[in-house]
Amino acid sequence: MARILITSAIPYINGIKHLGNLVGSQLPADLFARYMRGRGHEVMFICATDEHGTPAELAAAKAKQPVAEYCTQMHEVQADLARGFRLSFDHFGRSSSARNHRLTQHFAGKLDEAGLIREVTEKQFYSVDDGRFLPDRYIEGTCPNCGFTSARGDQCDNCTKQLDPTDLIDPHSTISGSTKLELRETKHLYLRQSALKDRIEAWIDSKADWPILTTSIAKKWLHDGDGLQDRGITRDLHWGIPVKKGDQPWPGMEGKVFYVWFDAPIEYIAGTAEWADANGRPDADWERWWRTDKGAEDVTYYQFMGKDNVPFHTLSFPATILGSAEPWKLVDYLKSFNYLNYDGGQFSTSRGRGVFMDQALSILPSDYWRWWLLSHAPESSDSEFTWENFQVSVNKDLADVLGNLVSRVTKFARSKFGETVPAGGSYGPMEEALIADLGARVRDYERLMDAIEVRKAAAELRAIWVAGNEYLQASAPWTVVKTDPEQAQAQIRLGLNLIRLYAVLSRPFIPDAAEAMMAALGCDDWSWPSDMPAAMRHLAPGAGFSVPENLFRKITDEERSDWQARFAGIRS
């Protein structure tokens, strides 16, 4: 039994996430966690809400709530939606937790002791009317490149040009609208990433099995322009983790907080400590996942994220870990994803464009969405959600292939042999050929799941479903029963065992449907089919079963058109 640590990039607190966010990190991480548990491994799956930084303050101000209250409320909303999508976190934490405060301050102190922190005096806009320094997203003005009048201090959304606040024409505060802005000096702490460049590059080079997307982004940041740059790790904000060295004040840093991208990845560790706290466990129980001097040398650590998060996880967070000179676990495999686009355009949280997690669950159960998103995961390139493709995939894959097999087998079995597994007959050449084929296909499925080839694994799973349908068409027990009822019993007994096999294999993708299939069989044995001949004889003759409700219903053309119209505009 292996020990598998899995973390998903933690979703930002400022609102409900869209389906592109979901498929870029949390959902494939859940797929892998469920699969590894199904294979009998010990899994720790951690996620959290990312609660610090400028966007949290802006979102709270827009909601007219104190930022701490807003974050608490949105954490519960996101946790509830995670449950709705059956995301099987061992713990869903908060980056604002006391654990993360202490760990972040601890790491900062260790980095300072190692000579990897330097103070930098820089100029930043100060709002006289607001009485505070303004980070880049608190400033808007006219873009000097295209003339867009609502460009932010970090980027113009119209022409996408990267900006500094001082580039803006007629800048103003987004808090008060005030134009009384002055450039004033302020001091910040910088992590000397440049001093760690060679160690980080050697570590990345040692990961020959990483996806090309991951390593290409990391290498680009290491070598483009002037190479890996030192990075500011503090901000002039009110909401965040106070800047301290461990539990001691940091002279000259009073009133400042750590930058959200410094503290957010540390929450992976802190979230595991929160799991221990929540379950009344000692520190040793979380340390065995993260400290190589406490047992974590036996852990294989997987991270899942969208490509925009790769630089922070291949460079900045490893710089924190390596620079601390402490025996913390580094990631072994980083699975990154491209973007999922939406119906001819882009998903956008800020503009409310696309289908968001709460909206998705309001129209269809989670399995429908899980299957489409995972079987179309944007791995090798960006992919696109269209309502036409969604309808076809649901109707053909889930309803026609899997759902139809379960319905046909159980209804025919009940009508001809009663509600127990029939005992007559024995498997013949056709059945043995199917068993051999399934054995080979399941090994292929395992290989793809082990390699986190999500789309290929989904295609192989569908092929396993199709193989069962083709067998039923060829064997035709509804015809054989008229001339050889004993052989028809054997064929249907195989069909019922197929349903159990499909439940076990499909559980990582469509857990609710898998549970429904197992419940219909009166079975709670989820053991993995490592021995296919035994797996296809698992159900004892005479054991009871029932006909489940329709596993998947088809999406009508009218529904598809209605949803396409409803989700084309701006979310209110």
Side-chain angles (χ1 to χ4, degrees), residues 330-348:
L330 282 161
V331 65
D332 293 296
Y333 191 85
L334 196 155
K335 176 70 174 182
S336 56
F337 291 85
N338 288 282
Y339 295 139
L340 176 69
N341 294 318
Y342 176 73
D343 220 8
Q346 290 183 324
F347 280 94
S348 173

Side-chain angles (χ1 to χ4, degrees), residues 12 50-54 95 233 235 258-265:
Y12 206 71
D50 185 0
E51 301 186 9
H52 295 137
T54 306
S95 69
I233 61 168
R235 290 292 186 268
F258 285 108
Y259 180 35
V260 61
W261 268 111
F262 182 69
D263 81 74

Side-chain angles (χ1 to χ4, degrees), residues 197 201 205 217-228:
K197 176 183 179 295
E201 184 164 20
D205 287 342
I217 293 172
K219 289 286 190 176
K220 177 181 174 65
W221 278 63
L222 277 169
H223 296 296
D224 273 12
D226 295 324
L228 185 60

Side-chain angles (χ1 to χ4, degrees), residues 9-21:
I10 63 180
Y12 206 71
I13 198 69
N14 63 337
I16 293 167
K17 304 298 111 177
H18 56 64
L19 296 183
N21 296 134

Side-chain angles (χ1 to χ4, degrees), residues 90 123 181 230 307 365 417 531:
D90 288 285
K123 288 188 175 181
L181 307 182
D230 296 347
K307 61 185 176 183
F417 309 118
D531 180 341

Side-chain angles (χ1 to χ4, degrees), residues 79-90:
D80 187 57
L81 288 171
R83 288 187 287 269
F85 273 93
R86 307 299 186 254
L87 303 180
S88 58
F89 305 126
D90 288 285

Side-chain angles (χ1 to χ4, degrees), residues 277-536:
D277 294 341
N279 291 280
R281 294 172 175 266
D283 282 350
D285 283 7
W286 71 262
E287 289 172 340
R288 66 189 288 266
W289 291 99
W290 284 103
R291 301 267 312 194
T292 56
D293 59 340
K294 301 288 181 68
E297 69 276 3
D298 296 329
V299 170
T300 305
Y301 177 20
Y302 297 83
Q303 290 178 345
F304 290 77
M305 68 198 63
K307 61 185 176 183
D308 54 328
N309 285 336
V310 168
F312 299 101
H313 290 80
T314 55
L315 306 171
S316 298
F317 187 40
T320 298
I321 297 294
L322 291 169
S324 74
E326 292 186 317
W328 297 101
K329 178 70 182 175
L330 282 161
V331 65
D332 293 296
Y333 191 85
L334 196 155
K335 176 70 174 182
S336 56
F337 291 85
N338 288 282
Y339 295 139
L340 176 69
N341 294 318
Y342 176 73
D343 220 8
Q346 290 183 324
F347 280 94
S348 173
T349 299
S350 60
R351 290 172 178 77
R353 187 176 192 279
V355 187
F356 289 72
M357 290 172 68
D358 59 337
Q359 296 169 329
L361 292 178
S362 75
I363 59 177
L364 285 171
S366 62
D367 277 355
Y368 293 70
W369 302 104
R370 288 178 64 104
W371 174 252
W372 190 92
L373 290 168
L374 291 167
S375 61
H376 294 77
E379 290 176 291
S380 58
S381 62
D382 291 352
S383 58
E384 182 171 14
F385 176 93
T386 68
W387 286 102
E388 291 82 4
N389 187 292
F390 179 64
Q391 179 190 27
V392 168
S393 183
V394 166
N395 291 356
K396 288 188 176 297
D397 298 350
L398 298 181
D400 286 347
V401 179
L402 179 60
N404 186 49
L405 180 142
V406 173
S407 178
R408 290 172 76 190
V409 168
T410 55
K411 287 179 178 178
F412 180 78
R414 181 177 63 183
S415 68
K416 296 299 181 181
F417 309 118
E419 293 188 349
T420 59
V421 177
S426 59
Y427 295 166
M430 190 178 294
E431 289 72 38
E432 296 299 342
L434 173 65
I435 291 170
D437 180 51
L438 289 172
R441 288 189 178 279
V442 169
R443 300 294 86 78
D444 287 340
Y445 176 63
E446 292 169 355
R447 176 180 53 80
L448 293 167
M449 288 290 275
D450 287 339
I452 322 180
E453 295 281 354
V454 178
R455 290 179 73 148
K456 291 179 180 178
E460 188 59 49
L461 177 60
R462 186 187 188 279
I464 291 169
W465 298 342
V466 168
N469 277 276
E470 290 176 343
Y471 162 76
L472 287 173
Q473 285 297 107
S475 62
W478 37 87
T479 300
V480 172
V481 71
K482 299 172 185 175
T483 57
D484 190 350
E486 289 282 305
Q487 182 59 26
Q489 287 187 48
Q491 292 168 338
I492 286 301
R493 187 164 66 252
L494 183 76
L496 291 169
N497 276 289
L498 271 176
I499 294 173
R500 179 188 170 273
L501 174 72
Y502 291 170
V504 173
L505 297 178
S506 306
R507 196 183 197 185
F509 283 90
I510 45 175
D512 286 350
E515 295 280 355
M517 286 188 272
M518 289 292 264
L521 297 173
C523 181
D524 60 1
D525 184 347
W526 292 91
S527 56
W528 194 260
S530 53
D531 180 341
M532 190 56 65
M536 298 310 295

